[in-house]
Amino acid sequence: MSDKRVLLIIGGGIAAYKSLELIRLLAKAGVKSRAILTKAGAEFVTPLSVGALTGDKVYQELFDLTAEAEMGHIELSRAADLVVVAPATADLMAKAANGLANDLASTALLATDKRVLMAPAMNVRMWEHAATQRNLARLHADGVRFVGPDAGEMACGEYGPGRMAEPEAIKAAILALLSDGPLKGKHALVTAGPTVEAIDPVRFLSNRSSGKQGYAIAAALANLGAEVTLVSGPTTLAAPAGVNRVDVESAREMLAACEAALPADVAICVAAVADWRPGAAAAEKIKKDKSGTPAISLTENPDILATLSKLGKKRPRLVIGFAAETNDVEAHARAKIAKKGCDWIVANDVSGDVMGGAENEVLLIKRDSAEAWPRMAKEAVGWKLAAEIAKFLTAKVRRK
Ligand code: C5P
């Protein structure tokens, strides 16, 4: 990483102090930072502290003759390998989403041809506001990558999503984006979201899966250079940049899409596939007044994870399943590895608020080991799992 450079835009939020730690962590990993400090950012951290840590001039003004003479503002972002906005305030996100260029930070964001990573940080109501969510969707569509925000206690005394990701998580995201892609040339197949099983043309059986964890894994794999096919049930999420999403509804469609996407080097089954479907979906809407309360008889759905695990020649080298449990997590997960024939299981306890939530606390279970990961954002689980997959797929195969 010694020749990599990051342009770090520090926005005006209380989380700006964490960016100082980020610069230090990046320097330790051999990544040089050059900083743009916004006017509001300078209310929270001083140019002196930022400059002392980057060992470079701190850029603050759009119309600064001396700075322009040294490095034109257009050049600033071009000279970097990656542009990082941390903290990305609601204002900076709004400017970037709308292509405004009325200060140095927004101009650098509009002028860059490099990848952009944002670490949002704001009050929970500002984060949840329709305008911010609209800007987020636009930025996603423009290819901007995100790390965080985390949910938790905030400096303003409120609780919820909006807290900037921890410097370690931002560093991990940066290093993954800067790497030359250990998964280059590898094909990853990810299933995500719920499946929807029709009862009749307007009614269905489904579940509460949000798809967040699967999408985060797909995004992290793409960032490591993999070609990713994301077979997704209906969700409200935007397809991560660089990922090929195939939309499906039922379990049977999901299986068919997975089989069509083969061969793959790794398959990660994150989808909450409905175990059963109504035996035969009625061709017409079932009428309420016809013959009392209808009985729905259920038929078992195909098990996608087990099918991919037992494929024989076409089997991906690494097949990973998820196990949502409410008790005896490890024991049930180990039984699942044996039953389904997969290689690893990512197991989590869903008795709390994991389903649909922003965070996850998992156990990574391999055939001969188990590792408990601390509670972290689903995105961070994605980065960590992608790194594990990269380690496995790039390890030299030992010959007997
Ligand atoms: O059996 P259970 O639903 O607990 O297993 C969960 C794992 O199996 C997840 O990885 C899920 O994506 C996968 N699965 C599947 N097809 C099914 C049921 C579960 O791929 N029909």
Side-chain angles (χ1 to χ4, degrees):
M1 288 285 165
S2 56
D3 52 345
K4 300 289 185 190
R5 283 185 160 274
V6 158
L7 176 68
L8 175 64
I9 298 176
I10 304 177
I14 182 69
Y17 76 92
K18 291 191 193 171
S19 301
L20 300 181
E21 172 68 0
L22 175 64
I23 297 170
R24 210 183 56 76
L25 288 174
L26 287 174
K28 264 174 90 179
V31 177
K32 271 189 157 282
S33 306
R34 174 173 280 146
I36 290 180
L37 183 60
T38 67
K39 223 182 179 132
E43 299 288 336
F44 293 90
V45 291
T46 68
L48 199 63
S49 332
V50 177
L53 286 163
T54 58
D56 200 345
K57 182 185 162 62
V58 177
Y59 293 80
Q60 292 182 271
E61 298 292 339
L62 182 55
F63 302 111
D64 179 333
L65 265 186
T66 330
E68 276 302 299
E70 286 166 8
M71 164 152 310
H73 64 270
I74 303 287
E75 265 315 292
L76 256 182
S77 53
R78 298 223 173 134
D81 298 292
L82 178 72
V83 181
V84 178
V85 191
T89 58
D91 181 65
L92 272 173
M93 283 178 61
K95 279 181 178 159
N98 289 287
L100 294 190
N102 58 1
D103 59 13
L104 183 56
S106 52
T107 305
L109 282 167
L110 195 61
T112 192
D113 54 359
K114 297 292 158 50
R115 290 202 277 190
V116 177
L117 174 74
M118 291 194 172
M122 66 197 72
N123 164 276
V124 54
R125 268 170 289 145
M126 291 170 79
W127 173 252
E128 284 172 351
H129 194 284
T132 304
Q133 292 302 311
R134 204 162 49 233
N135 293 332
L136 176 68
R138 267 202 191 176
L139 291 167
H140 265 301
D142 289 348
V144 172
R145 271 50 166 200
F146 285 86
V147 53
D150 290 348
E153 190 120 17
M154 310 190 65
C156 55
E158 290 188 64
Y159 191 90
R163 200 173 68 183
M164 189 166 89
E166 291 305 320
E168 274 289 353
I170 304 176
K171 182 191 91 174
I174 291 173
L175 295 188
L177 284 171
L178 285 177
S179 79
D180 286 326
L183 289 178
K184 217 172 172 178
K186 303 276 193 266
H187 180 208
L189 172 63
V190 182
T191 70
T195 65
V196 162
E197 311 293 338
I199 296 170
D200 67 18
V202 296
R203 304 183 180 95
F204 58 81
L205 294 179
S206 191
N207 59 66
R208 292 187 199 280
S209 167
S210 65
K212 280 181 196 156
Q213 186 60 82
Y215 276 57
I217 291 167
L221 289 165
N223 281 330
L224 292 190
E227 179 204 337
V228 182
T229 305
L230 173 63
V231 180
S232 174
T235 72
T236 56
L237 305 172
V243 162
N244 171 29
R245 183 173 74 182
V246 181
D247 291 318
V248 296
E249 293 212 332
S250 68
R252 286 175 299 172
E253 284 173 16
M254 187 172 271
L255 176 60
C258 287
E259 287 175 332
L262 294 171
D265 298 280
V266 55
I268 308 116
C269 294
V270 198
V273 183
D275 291 316
W276 306 281
R277 66 173 183 277
E284 285 166 7
K285 186 182 170 198
I286 301 168
K287 289 274 179 275
K288 198 157 91 179
D289 50 2
K290 266 266 167 85
S291 49
T293 309
I296 301 173
S297 74
L298 299 174
T299 305
E300 202 168 329
N301 260 333
D303 191 312
I304 298 162
L305 175 62
T307 309
L308 294 176
S309 296
K310 292 170 188 166
L311 269 178
K313 251 192 153 183
K314 274 188 146 183
R315 183 192 196 275
R317 253 184 78 199
L318 181 61
V319 181
I320 306 173
F322 268 65
E325 305 289 349
T326 52
N327 61 305
D328 294 335
V329 177
E330 186 174 344
H332 282 132
R334 288 214 172 276
K336 205 158 282 178
I337 289 188
K339 187 171 143 215
K340 308 230 184 190
C342 60
D343 303 296
W344 301 352
I345 285 267
V346 181
N348 55 358
D349 188 335
V350 288
S351 49
D353 56 356
V354 162
M355 209 96 171
E359 293 188 331
N360 210 348
E361 188 174 334
V362 306
L363 273 176
L364 175 61
I365 297 168
K366 300 181 181 171
R367 282 173 194 267
D368 47 12
S369 67
E371 197 178 294
W373 293 355
R375 190 177 176 91
M376 59 181 94
K378 286 183 175 172
E379 247 171 341
V381 172
W383 294 112
K384 243 175 116 65
L385 186 65
E388 283 285 330
I389 292 168
K391 211 158 74 184
F392 178 90
L393 289 182
T394 54
K396 297 240 170 352
V397 182
R398 253 188 273 146
R399 304 210 180 273
K400 282 186 194 149

